[in-house]
């Protein structure tokens, strides 16, 4: 167990924006005791030090994680689905792309843009069954549920969505819209 030095206690208290009086009030000790501990002029009891550390730990800003902001269920299609099935999901849910998930694991994504491009290149023929796997793109990035939201924001600046996975299995999805709702 690391026992913080008086300088570490003071530095942490100051970085959290707490005054000695606030730490003392929350810890149930006197402000002069906090001042003496931080000055190194008194050797506090472990219980007193524990109270101060608890106050400082509780004052830490709570980190928002991917698991807290993800939404479920994840709209998706399997690779063996037809393009028309993907288009139906796009239309019914007002989305333009979907992850392609097989046995719970992400294997790619399909988007309206890819389908429009295939139409323009005349790669889609009504006479032949056209499957999602034939037009899949690389999948969305994945993050674990405990990933901090700041990292997710950075990833979303370069991608349309992020899948939240545990092991190989998709548990949720985060879109740019999900982040916007955090501040509105």
């Amino acid at each position: 167990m690391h026992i913080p030095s008086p300088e570490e206690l003071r530095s942490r208290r100051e970085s959290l924006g707490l005054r000695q009086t606030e730490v003392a009030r929350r810890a149930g000790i006197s402000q002069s005791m906090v001042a003496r501990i931080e000055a190194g002029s008194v050797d506090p009891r472990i219980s007193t030090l524990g109270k101060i550390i608890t106050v400082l730990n509780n004052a830490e800003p709570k980190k928002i994680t991917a698991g807290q902001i993800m939404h479920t269920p994840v709209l998706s299609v399997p690779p063996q689905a037809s393009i028309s099935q993907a288009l139906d999901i796009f239309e019914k849910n007002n989305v333009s792309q979907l992850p392609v998930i097989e046995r719970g694991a992400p294997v790619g994504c399909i988007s309206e843009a890819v389908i429009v491009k295939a139409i323009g290149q005349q790669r889609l023929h009504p006479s032949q069954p056209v499957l999602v796997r034939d037009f899949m793109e690389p999948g969305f990035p994945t993050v674990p549920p405990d990933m901090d939201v700041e990292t997710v924001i950075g990833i979303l600046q370069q991608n349309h969505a992020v899948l939240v996975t545990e092991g190989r299995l998709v548990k949720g999805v985060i879109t740019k819209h999900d982040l916007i709702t955090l501040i509105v």
Side-chain angles (χ1 to χ4, degrees):
M1 174 173 121
H2 172 71
I3 298 176
S5 70
E7 296 80 22
E8 289 173 318
L9 288 172
R10 181 179 57 254
S11 174
R12 185 158 178 225
R13 176 186 57 77
E14 290 172 349
S15 73
L16 293 169
L18 294 174
R19 300 176 57 104
Q20 288 179 346
T21 52
E22 183 62 19
V23 171
R25 184 186 66 76
R26 291 183 189 182
I29 59 177
S30 69
Q31 181 273 326
S32 64
M33 176 60 81
V34 174
R36 290 185 300 167
I37 290 170
E38 288 185 358
S41 63
V42 66
D43 192 10
R45 293 179 14 206
I46 293 293
S47 61
T48 302
L49 192 56
K51 290 176 186 178
I52 293 171
I53 291 170
T54 298
V55 167
L56 296 176
N57 286 343
N58 289 339
E60 286 283 342
K62 303 298 182 234
K63 297 254 185 207
I64 298 174
T65 65
Q68 293 170 316
I69 61 171
M70 71 180 189
H71 68 265
T72 59
V74 177
L75 294 175
S76 66
V77 291
Q80 63 275 14
S82 69
I83 290 292
S84 62
Q85 287 173 300
L87 290 172
D88 284 344
I89 296 171
F90 290 157
E91 187 176 328
K92 288 178 184 171
N93 296 283
N94 197 28
V95 296
S96 61
Q97 65 227 346
L98 290 168
V100 180
I101 298 178
E102 187 169 37
R103 291 188 291 279
V107 294
C109 74
I110 186 77
S111 68
E112 286 180 339
V114 166
I115 295 169
V116 168
K117 184 177 177 182
I119 291 169
Q121 295 173 344
Q122 298 181 353
R123 291 175 43 207
L124 292 176
H125 302 286
S127 61
Q128 297 176 345
V130 183
L131 303 180
V132 167
R133 74 169 152 248
D134 299 326
F135 296 94
M136 264 186 348
E137 297 178 293
F140 300 115
T142 62
V143 298
D146 61 352
M147 177 68 64
D148 62 276
V149 74
E150 290 81 15
T151 302
V152 173
I153 290 169
I155 295 170
L156 280 173
Q157 289 175 355
Q158 306 299 322
N159 298 276
H160 296 289
V162 173
L163 296 176
V164 180
T165 58
E166 279 186 313
R168 293 179 9 97
L169 301 179
V170 174
K171 296 298 180 185
V173 63
I174 302 170
T175 64
K176 292 174 184 178
H177 179 76
D178 295 320
L179 292 179
I180 292 168
T181 61
L182 284 177
I183 58 170
V184 176

